[in-house]
Amino acid sequence: MNRTDESIMVALQDRADGGVHVEDLLAGALQRGQRRRLVRRTLAGSAAGVLAVAVIGAVAVFPRGGPADVAPAADPPPVSPAGRPPLADGAPALGEGGTAGQNGLFHLDHEGTTNATWRSGAGWELMQTSGSSVVHTAIGDSTANLDKALAATGMELTPNPTSTPLIVDGKAATLVWSGMNPADGARWGYLRWQPVTGTWALVFTSFAADPGTNAATDRAKLLALTEQARFDQVYRCAVNFRLTWVPAATAITSCEFVGGAQPWARVHLSTGRATYSVNVTAAAATAAKPVNPNTDYSGTPLEYTDAGRVRRVAGAQVVTVDQGDVLLAKNDALHLAAAVQPVTATDPAGWPADPLH
């Protein structure tokens, strides 16, 4: 625990028996994060300026007919940030014209994470990170869409939580936390606020049963996690496959990118009635439950289950189609799985942004 965490925790403990006044603490945390991001931008801009001056100076000393007249080499293909989706070059960040859930882009990140999942739907985005505890960071272009992002976490929230209204950077914010779940002793909490006008955000986490913690330490941890949320970068949802055939009226409802040493992706789709998802992962990941074909489509061996799951082996990868409560016609599900075309490139920068085109 660093000094900032300690000061927040002590302040909250001092107020545990009365009202919790964390506006100043949170505003300071967010300002520190903004200052760090501003420093990063300034340093990056300064470095680019120095590089430009150096290049101009170098070109100026070449005589005519020398190296300055040689055609410049083509730019190398962009490389994805380690464990993250590819950067969406030129796409505006939040507060600069970007909006939540815009064209399958991701406008959020969380500092200090290496394994994370991003998901983008219509008007909302969600990022899940894992570590000592699972943390969800979400944004929405309305409070209703922010609730959709919270629902997409799949967390079952205990009823009757406690909420405290706050003011952060002159805008309304809410700190929400639960009591102890009698079944397992776990607790949860989130902070909801507006990082920029027109965008609502929340950072949500759960706290495992631990007799050494209490509501004050939980809230202090939540505030520290909120400080790590970032909204100054834009990524695109790259997927490692193409859908060469889909059932009639199919549309993508959300796109998901799973980072890490072996990134993969999933798209969620709907025909207006049936819902389903498609993903392609390394075959090694299914070693514990290998694919056992029990049918085929036009000569392509497939495994089909009563729940509507369809799987097939495609070289060193496995294609999986999962379905919701309303299933596709079996023949359509088999046709879909057989028509998925995996992308073999390992760098997500070379993956398509839209598997339907």
Side-chain angles (χ1 to χ4, degrees):
M1 178 180 296
N2 59 36
R3 293 180 181 177
T4 300
D5 295 337
E6 291 177 346
S7 64
I8 293 174
M9 183 182 73
V10 170
L12 287 169
Q13 288 175 329
D14 290 344
R15 295 166 172 78
D17 295 329
V20 179
H21 305 288
V22 299
E23 294 93 329
D24 294 338
L25 294 173
L26 180 57
L30 295 177
Q31 288 167 3
R32 285 191 295 276
Q34 290 166 353
R35 281 198 296 272
R36 285 203 301 270
R37 293 189 279 276
L38 179 59
V39 168
R40 281 194 291 266
R41 290 179 184 173
T42 303
L43 290 177
S46 299
V50 170
L51 178 60
V53 171
V55 170
I56 291 171
V59 170
V61 300
F62 286 135
R64 184 167 181 78
D69 290 336
V70 176
D75 291 336
V79 177
S80 303
R84 273 156 170 68
L87 292 170
D89 293 332
L94 291 182
E96 300 173 359
T99 59
Q102 176 187 45
N103 300 323
L105 299 177
F106 305 128
H107 296 83
L108 73 169
D109 204 342
H110 206 88
E111 294 180 351
T113 60
T114 54
N115 295 309
T117 298
W118 287 258
R119 185 172 173 182
S120 179
W124 60 269
E125 298 173 28
L126 176 67
M127 180 184 180
Q128 176 182 315
T129 63
S130 58
S132 57
S133 60
V134 175
V135 179
H136 294 95
T137 306
I139 57 174
D141 62 5
S142 66
T143 54
N145 279 333
L146 187 62
D147 289 341
K148 290 182 181 179
L150 183 59
T153 66
M155 301 292 292
E156 294 185 6
L157 307 185
T158 52
N160 303 318
T162 301
S163 112
T164 299
L166 309 174
I167 298 296
V168 177
D169 291 338
K171 300 182 181 71
T174 306
L175 180 68
V176 179
W177 66 96
S178 74
M180 183 179 294
N181 185 335
D184 56 13
R187 297 175 297 276
W188 58 265
Y190 65 82
L191 181 81
R192 183 175 63 192
W193 80 106
Q194 280 189 281
V196 299
T197 301
T199 298
W200 283 258
L202 66 81
V203 172
F204 172 97
T205 193
S206 57
F207 307 94
D210 184 348
T213 65
N214 53 42
T217 56
D218 286 351
R219 293 194 292 272
K221 178 180 178 182
L222 181 57
L223 292 177
L225 290 171
T226 300
E227 183 183 359
Q228 297 166 9
R230 291 184 54 180
F231 309 101
D232 61 342
Q233 192 64 272
V234 186
Y235 305 107
R236 65 180 178 88
C237 189
V239 297
N240 56 336
F241 55 87
R242 296 184 184 278
L243 301 175
T244 62
W245 182 89
V246 292
T250 284
I252 294 176
T253 57
S254 66
C255 183
E256 191 172 345
F257 180 93
V258 182
Q262 290 186 314
W264 54 282
R266 177 188 286 118
V267 289
H268 301 260
L269 308 101
S270 173
T271 64
R273 184 170 181 271
T275 58
Y276 60 96
S277 67
V278 179
N279 68 74
V280 173
T281 55
T286 64
K289 192 175 181 180
V291 177
N292 295 308
N294 54 13
T295 187
D296 75 276
Y297 183 88
S298 296
T300 299
L302 299 164
E303 175 190 77
Y304 183 86
T305 70
D306 291 340
R309 167 173 274 197
V310 191
R311 296 196 301 166
R312 89 169 208 263
V313 175
Q317 297 172 294
V318 170
V319 172
T320 301
V321 175
D322 283 308
Q323 301 190 63
D325 294 335
V326 177
L327 301 184
L328 298 167
K330 181 177 180 179
N331 192 65
D332 282 352
L334 298 179
H335 188 177
L336 170 68
V340 175
Q341 181 181 7
V343 173
T344 57
T346 56
D347 182 2
W351 294 358
D354 182 354
L356 290 177
H357 300 92

